[in-house]
Amino acid sequence: MSDEFNVGDVVQLKSGGPKMTVEKISDVDEDKIACCAWFDKNNIFKDEFDQRLLKHYKPTVGIGITRV
């Protein structure tokens, strides 16, 4: 079962990479395609991905970090 995504969701490729924001969802044939945008330094990039290649982004929390 594939995840459902909405405009504004923060996603990432299942194989890793930058966190991206979903800008638009399109139906192409029988596939759902997510148009995503992300930043690399001061540059914005956009591309389209089959939703089956994406997962919701979940930030990792550091373990054993102590603040003084």
Side-chain angles (χ1 to χ4, degrees), residues 44-55:
I44 187 167
F45 295 91
K46 295 182 181 189
D47 208 342
E48 295 179 345
F49 302 93
D50 187 306
Q51 286 194 54
R52 294 174 288 190
L53 302 176
L54 301 173
K55 64 182 179 181

Side-chain angles (χ1 to χ4, degrees), residues 24-38:
K24 180 173 77 171
I25 304 292
S26 301
D27 289 316
V28 177
D29 296 323
E30 294 182 19
D31 299 322
K32 290 201 176 226
I33 305 297
C35 179
C36 300
W38 67 96

